[in-house]
Amino acid sequence: MMFHHITVLHQEAVDGLDIKPGGIYVDCTLGGAGHSSLIASRISGGGRLIAIDQDDIALANAEERLAPYMEHVTLVKSNFRRLKEVLEELRIPRIDGVLFDLGVSSPQLDEAERGFSYNADAPLDMRMDRTQPLSAYEVVNEWPEEEIASILFEYGEEKFARRIAKEIVGERKKNPVTTTGELVELIKRGIPAAARRTGPHPAKRTFQAIRIAVNDELNAFKEALEAGIELLAPGGRTSVITFHSLEDRICKQTYQEYSKGCICPPDFPQCACGNKPILKIITRKPIVPEEAELSENRRARSAKLRIAEKVEQ
């Protein structure tokens, strides 16, 4: 299977990196290679792109799509939370830009057997890296009821989390829950009929929550974002596309934390903390897709782009 993926905020995210001739850039979420191909096309001279993904299909597709630029490109199979280690292994001490396009690629959603989609019946999986041991099956069939309810509420913002968790645990006492179709039916049983008739698909929030838990997405993103900021050279930029409020909150709060200057009490006559900002926030409000993009790609509707720049120390 090859990637047929519409890249969200394609131009805006790469423009946000302010690519310099001969610079070194990292695409932490290779996916369909849309952003990577645009970055690679703008690199000149001794420039280099390191593109990271943990999905074998994405990496195989990228070898073809990036073929004209491969002398400047290094593909790496890894979780982006290992960003610092990856660059150490490549002997790269500083980078000029790092890009994150979070969420699930369209081919992962569309390939039924991956188990990401609530619209197709498939084995419970949801692993982005299919070699890792933890899958959605283990979460649904082995995790305690309280823990399932907790992730549904925290990661999925599902107000019927406890009811859904109770349905899941009640069913698995009789038979293991093995498919996405079975899980969807349990979710529907846990949500009142009136609530099911409005809003998005009733399983959307639960599937999102389980996927995040399986892949430890939020912790991985925070670790990688902080590592990327640390590795940026002065003037280098970080460009982040998020797709739900939890990711966006991590990005926004991290940017704010790293952009703080003096933190002394306001009544101090002069600064005693010596704290200096590490980042300058470029996008005070996130960039969102325009109507033209939304009409072509409905999956772009929740996307937000935030950009920040490393300042001189």
Side-chain angles (χ1 to χ4, degrees), residues 34-35 38 41 62 84 91 105 121 137 159 187 191 195 245 258:
H35 291 120
L38 187 55
S41 71
K84 193 169 185 177
R91 298 183 180 180
S105 296
D121 195 21
Y137 179 90
K159 62 182 178 180
I187 294 165
I191 299 176
S245 59
Y258 279 81

Side-chain angles (χ1 to χ4, degrees), residues 21-286:
I24 299 175
Y25 297 87
V26 181
D27 184 349
C28 282
T29 45
L30 172 64
H35 291 120
S36 277
S37 60
L38 187 55
I39 294 169
S41 71
R42 296 184 182 183
I43 290 174
S44 59
R48 189 173 180 187
L49 168 66
I50 295 89
I52 301 171
D53 208 292
Q54 54 190 345
D55 191 303
D56 289 319
I57 297 173
L59 292 163
N61 172 69
E63 287 185 0
E64 292 191 17
R65 184 160 186 183
L66 299 176
Y69 314 110
M70 285 305 292
E71 64 179 314
H72 301 295
V73 176
T74 301
L75 300 178
V76 179
K77 181 178 180 180
S78 183
N79 187 305
F80 58 47
R81 77 190 316 160
R82 292 189 64 252
L83 174 59
K84 193 169 185 177
E85 291 91 334
V86 166
L87 294 179
E88 284 175 353
E89 289 163 7
L90 295 172
R91 298 183 180 180
I92 297 172
R94 285 286 177 266
I95 56 177
D96 297 290
V98 58
L99 183 145
F100 295 87
D101 178 4
L102 303 176
V104 184
S105 296
S106 296
Q108 291 173 328
L109 287 171
D110 297 336
E111 187 182 3
E113 67 182 49
R114 301 296 295 274
F116 288 106
S117 176
Y118 41 76
N119 290 316
D121 195 21
L124 279 176
D125 193 335
M126 301 194 196
R127 293 172 298 172
M128 292 183 181
D129 177 358
R130 300 175 87 174
T131 65
Q132 75 173 40
L134 180 66
S135 73
Y137 179 90
E138 284 74 32
V139 172
V140 169
N141 289 284
E142 298 174 9
W143 283 22
E145 182 176 333
E146 282 298 315
E147 195 165 352
I148 293 174
S150 177
I151 64 165
L152 298 191
F153 183 76
E154 183 180 353
Y155 296 162
E157 300 174 298
E158 173 56 75
K159 62 182 178 180
F160 300 109
R162 290 190 178 279
R163 294 176 56 150
I164 294 169
K166 185 176 181 180
E167 289 290 343
I168 289 171
V169 172
E171 179 63 27
R172 80 188 192 192
K173 287 178 181 177
K174 296 178 285 185
N175 294 293
V177 182
T178 61
T179 70
T180 54
E182 291 170 4
L183 180 58
V184 167
E185 290 307 310
L186 293 171
I187 294 165
K188 288 179 178 177
R189 276 163 38 185
I191 299 176
R196 295 200 307 267
R197 287 194 288 268
T198 59
H201 192 288
K204 180 179 179 180
R205 292 178 292 273
T206 295
F207 269 61
Q208 172 184 292
I210 295 173
R211 189 202 79 218
I212 288 172
V214 166
N215 298 287
D216 196 23
E217 292 177 29
L218 299 181
N219 290 325
F221 169 51
K222 183 168 178 57
E223 289 173 22
L225 180 59
E226 291 179 344
I229 293 168
E230 179 186 339
L231 291 160
L232 282 176
R237 289 189 173 188
T238 170
S239 185
V240 179
I241 301 172
T242 62
F243 287 86
H244 62 72
S245 59
L246 299 175
E247 298 168 338
D248 185 57
R249 189 179 307 138
I250 290 171
C251 183
K252 180 180 179 180
Q253 290 177 348
T254 302
Y255 280 5
Q256 289 174 339
E257 178 185 345
Y258 279 81
S259 64
K260 282 182 181 176
C262 174
I263 55 173
C264 292
D267 58 347
F268 271 35
Q270 63 181 35
C271 177
C273 69
N275 195 60
K276 295 182 179 180
I278 295 170
L279 289 180
K280 176 177 70 174
I281 298 173
I282 303 299
T283 51
R284 286 296 166 184
K285 291 185 177 180

